[in-house]
Amino acid sequence: MAAKGMNLCNVCCLLLYVISAVLAGRDFYQILGVTKSASIRDIKKAYRKLALQLHPDRNQDDPKAQDKFADLGAAYEVLSDEEKRKQYDAYGEDGLKEGHHGSHNDIFSSFFGDFGFMFGGNRQQQDRNIPRGNDIILDLEVTLEEVYSGNFVEVVRNKPIAREAPGKRKCNCRQEMRTTQLGPGRFQMTQEMVCDECPNVKLVNEERTLEVEIEQGVRDEMEYPFIGEGEPHIDGEPGDLRFRIKVLKHPVFERRGDDLYTNVTISLVEALVGFKMEIVHLDGHKVHIERDKVTKPGARMWKKGEGLPNFDNINIRGSLIITFDVEFPQTQLDEQQKEGIRSLLKQGSVQKVYNGLQGY
Amino acid sequence: MEIIHGVQVLVKSVLFVLLWCQCEGRDSELSYVTCGSLVKLLNTRHNVRLHSHDVKYGSGSGQQSVTGVENADDSNSYWQIRGKPNRPCKRGVAIKCGEAIRITHMKTGRNLHSHRFNSPLSNNQEVSAFGESGEGDDLDVWAVQCDNDHWERDEAVRFKHVGTDVYLSVTGEQYGHPIRGQREVHGMKSANQNNWWRSMEGVFIQPSQEPLRHDEL
């Protein structure tokens, strides 16, 4: 009897657990595709990737796009906030205080700028007549390691935002000619400053965090725009903030397109008898090189797939091209060694004279 | 009930510790000016922002002029903080007090520069914008002077010119046409109330994590 009671108890517990799991609301970790111990940075990365994929403007054929996107926003809003995440981890979605609607636009714009959801860059068409603030261009230096593996850069944008203020202000000021009558038949033309009246605004400095992604394979001079994050315009729209990528030179690898070039110096012995070595690549993995034949100075070795990922398709990689040069022994040889070498190598005297600079 | 409550408290405290550890581990340079950041610099005594534009001095060196402007929404007041020539600073790392930097004008790519010429209005030392695409010469280097370890964003600092030992200053003289109302920016020998500058609007780069490594075991 006791055993049966225990079994029933277990089944009930299991049922209760399953029901509560189902009713507990959405699994935010699953929506973002991160583990429960993910750092805030991992969560941001996951959000950014998915936000670009799931945005309704990009998925106009999918009737569930709005819901999926809303789920994504809710997941990010909770998991990126320490307080809310703690509550969610302890009590599930139901345990969170109040609804968390809206402000998904706020989250989205920290990754793409204030008007970043206008995919396709229709900005030019819309504001031909609206005055626009200046653009800001920031040269972002990136290392070749970052070009190979990708990375995220967080920035804090502190900018003036126009906020309503009490009263009115003068706007659209211009010079106009006024004619005043001084007496019968006598007039005077004067220049006068004439202004319109507009609602008063004041510029208040506000801050927000933006996240720029250094995508794999990114090329020099490529730009990442954040729409609306530039300079404000008191009578119009703010300009854009653009991050311009500047790839730094690397001590080991030289980039040409998607290919990487490097040089290796080997000893004369290695050049003649062969050698094995490893080159440490940009992300730490090792490229094995083996030669058992003679390696001439200036010889090149192509390693396919060991270059940089292509920006448009990161599954395609360029090649690593290794050029060998030979270091001759520093010490001079004595007569005995010279005889030894003559008999070992059995190479006759060559002594060919030619114009090497013109390809003869 | 007691047990459940106890477990809840335990879970919460574990979570708290984990999150706290995450915070400590993450580099936060939120309150510092970092290498690569774009800033506007405000002279605290005269309330004008360091500014430059494609207008050359009519005297002295004839190089691009550097002035102080009152308005806060001009993108010609943005300057990028960079390392010394041939010594790039690591992106996102806070600038140390005493560190030598270059201050590059965003729009024109010229570096804040000074040399032994007289400034047009006050006869102090001329401060100009010099170079092309961020490369000029050794007179582009300035040392950040401040009290703490690093240059804090809401702290006033001084900029001392490394080549000639003058401080970046404003004393209030105003230009006429075509840059009416803009103040003269010059270098002066003495450290006083006129050479305090504070970072205002800008884009402040935070340090990044190192990109993923795949070391073979």
Side-chain angles (χ1 to χ4, degrees):
Chain A
M1 273 308 279
K4 250 199 183 159
M6 286 290 282
N7 275 346
L8 196 60
C9 194
N10 285 348
V11 169
C12 277
C13 279
L14 197 62
L15 210 59
L16 209 65
Y17 174 76
V18 167
I19 291 173
S20 64
V22 166
L23 290 178
R26 299 168 280 189
D27 183 347
F28 287 153
Y29 290 98
Q30 198 186 49
I31 290 174
L32 280 170
V34 297
T35 62
K36 289 221 160 38
S37 58
S39 68
I40 298 236
R41 196 151 277 182
D42 292 337
I43 290 172
K44 282 183 180 175
K45 277 185 203 178
Y47 171 80
R48 203 182 172 284
K49 279 211 165 74
L50 288 169
L52 275 177
Q53 289 170 13
L54 295 179
H55 196 279
D57 287 357
R58 278 253 174 106
N59 296 291
Q60 309 216 342
D61 309 333
D62 184 355
K64 295 210 208 118
Q66 280 287 1
D67 289 335
K68 284 191 211 165
F69 192 65
D71 282 345
L72 182 68
Y76 179 78
E77 189 180 336
V78 168
L79 296 186
S80 63
D81 178 310
E82 279 171 39
E83 266 302 306
K84 292 186 188 166
R85 186 178 179 178
K86 266 192 277 179
Q87 286 179 344
Y88 175 77
D89 286 339
Y91 304 116
E93 191 179 351
D94 296 331
L96 293 164
K97 285 185 269 194
E98 277 296 291
H100 36 260
H101 337 281
S103 81
H104 188 179
N105 282 341
D106 261 359
I107 299 170
F108 191 79
S109 60
S110 76
F111 289 92
F112 304 105
D114 270 333
F115 303 103
F117 47 82
M118 288 183 196
F119 287 110
N122 284 329
R123 207 165 146 69
Q124 277 90 39
Q125 292 169 5
Q126 293 190 354
D127 46 47
R128 198 137 288 173
N129 296 321
I130 303 175
R132 210 164 143 251
N134 299 135
D135 283 346
I136 299 175
I137 302 179
L138 196 160
D139 280 337
L140 193 66
E141 288 182 338
V142 305
T143 61
L144 217 51
E145 283 83 356
E146 289 176 313
V147 174
Y148 188 82
S149 308
N151 206 355
F152 273 84
V153 184
E154 229 177 69
V155 306
V156 172
R157 173 76 177 112
N158 179 307
K159 61 179 182 178
I161 295 193
R163 292 266 176 249
E164 283 177 11
K168 299 266 180 222
R169 65 183 171 107
K170 295 193 188 309
C171 58
N172 298 332
C173 289
R174 56 203 178 267
Q175 298 272 21
E176 278 185 6
M177 299 297 285
R178 274 275 149 92
T179 317
T180 44
Q181 188 171 28
L182 295 174
R186 286 165 60 214
F187 295 93
Q188 189 182 56
M189 292 267 289
T190 46
Q191 250 197 356
E192 225 179 81
M193 183 73 90
V194 168
C195 297
D196 288 342
E197 245 188 22
C198 293
N200 201 5
V201 293
K202 58 176 181 198
L203 291 176
V204 173
N205 280 6
E206 289 186 4
E207 248 177 46
R208 68 133 60 109
T209 304
L210 303 175
E211 198 99 25
V212 188
E213 185 176 9
I214 301 171
E215 293 172 282
Q216 285 175 280
V218 69
R219 296 175 205 129
D220 210 42
E221 305 288 322
M222 273 186 163
E223 289 187 0
Y224 287 91
F226 279 71
I227 308 206
E229 294 294 337
E231 284 300 81
H233 194 293
I234 209 154
D235 290 320
E237 275 185 359
D240 301 334
L241 169 61
R242 305 207 301 263
F243 291 90
R244 185 163 52 194
I245 301 290
K246 293 277 186 196
V247 183
L248 293 168
K249 289 243 163 271
H250 196 273
V252 172
F253 297 104
E254 173 79 5
R255 176 189 200 171
R256 295 234 183 116
D258 292 338
D259 293 330
L260 290 172
Y261 284 75
T262 190
N263 294 66
V264 173
T265 306
I266 53 177
S267 71
L268 183 56
V269 173
E270 287 170 323
L272 290 170
V273 307
F275 61 94
K276 269 192 232 186
M277 67 175 291
E278 284 181 338
I279 295 182
V280 180
H281 212 290
L282 291 166
D283 69 345
H285 85 269
K286 300 198 172 63
V287 180
H288 299 280
I289 298 176
E290 203 170 309
R291 285 284 295 172
D292 59 358
K293 299 204 197 117
V294 168
T295 308
K296 296 187 212 167
R300 280 183 165 188
M301 188 185 273
W302 281 72
K303 286 283 188 183
K304 284 201 154 192
E306 291 290 358
L308 291 171
N310 180 281
F311 179 76
D312 300 306
N313 179 353
I314 58 175
N315 295 317
I316 300 177
R317 288 202 173 192
S319 308
L320 173 63
I321 295 111
I322 308 161
T323 306
F324 292 96
D325 54 88
V326 180
E327 187 170 288
F328 274 63
Q330 309 286 6
T331 51
Q332 296 306 318
L333 302 169
D334 63 30
E335 251 329 297
Q336 198 183 25
Q337 288 169 314
K338 286 185 191 176
E339 254 319 299
I341 293 204
R342 278 187 208 108
S343 56
L344 265 178
L345 287 178
K346 297 190 183 34
Q347 184 188 22
S349 177
V350 176
Q351 297 182 3
K352 177 176 161 203
V353 186
Y354 65 103
N355 181 348
L357 295 171
Q358 295 294 338
Y360 282 94
Chain B
M1 286 310 281
E2 295 268 319
I3 299 175
I4 293 176
H5 180 68
V7 169
Q8 277 181 359
V9 170
L10 186 67
V11 167
K12 273 195 232 180
S13 39
V14 167
L15 273 169
F16 179 71
V17 168
L18 278 173
L19 284 166
W20 180 75
C21 287
Q22 299 263 36
C23 278
E24 291 292 286
R26 174 178 59 180
D27 286 354
S28 180
E29 310 271 52
L30 283 172
S31 55
Y32 300 117
V33 177
T34 59
C35 169
S37 295
L38 220 51
V39 295
K40 285 191 184 172
L41 295 166
L42 180 82
N43 180 290
T44 52
R45 177 86 171 75
H46 298 273
N47 233 350
V48 290
R49 283 167 174 73
L50 191 68
H51 181 93
S52 189
H53 38 211
D54 201 3
V55 173
K56 301 210 184 326
Y57 281 120
S59 61
S61 67
Q63 290 174 10
Q64 181 169 306
S65 59
V66 171
T67 62
V69 296
E70 283 176 351
N71 52 333
D73 58 356
D74 192 336
S75 64
N76 263 330
S77 310
Y78 276 107
W79 300 80
Q80 189 173 32
I81 305 299
R82 298 164 65 222
K84 297 197 294 193
N86 299 321
R87 288 272 200 88
C89 51
K90 189 154 191 273
R91 187 191 73 214
V93 170
I95 303 290
K96 292 207 254 298
C97 288
E99 190 170 330
I101 57 172
R102 280 183 295 181
I103 303 173
T104 306
H105 187 235
M106 181 193 85
K107 267 280 180 71
T108 58
R110 301 203 155 107
N111 299 326
L112 193 67
H113 180 96
S114 191
H115 40 208
R116 296 196 197 281
F117 281 94
N118 283 347
S119 61
L121 302 179
S122 66
N123 266 330
N124 280 305
Q125 185 166 298
E126 187 191 89
V127 166
S128 64
F130 175 74
E132 292 299 323
S133 309
E135 298 305 317
D137 64 20
D138 288 327
L139 290 176
D140 297 343
V141 182
W142 299 78
V144 181
Q145 287 198 348
C146 42
D147 293 327
N148 312 307
D149 292 326
H150 295 93
W151 177 3
E152 292 187 19
R153 279 177 54 198
D154 44 11
E155 168 197 30
V157 302
R158 289 197 169 103
F159 297 103
K160 190 169 194 197
H161 189 236
V162 169
T164 59
D165 285 339
V166 295
Y167 290 96
L168 189 71
S169 321
V170 175
T171 42
E173 300 83 9
Q174 291 190 25
Y175 288 104
H177 181 76
I179 46 176
R180 185 174 299 279
Q182 295 188 15
R183 312 285 197 276
E184 185 193 82
V185 167
H186 50 245
M188 66 192 327
K189 276 284 177 203
S190 64
N192 51 43
Q193 293 308 307
N194 292 312
N195 24 58
W196 290 115
W197 298 85
R198 213 180 81 176
S199 73
M200 299 294 287
E201 302 78 13
V203 183
F204 299 92
I205 304 188
Q206 305 299 301
S208 296
Q209 285 177 344
E210 292 299 314
L212 290 174
R213 306 251 327 161
H214 294 289
D215 294 288
E216 278 178 8
L217 291 163

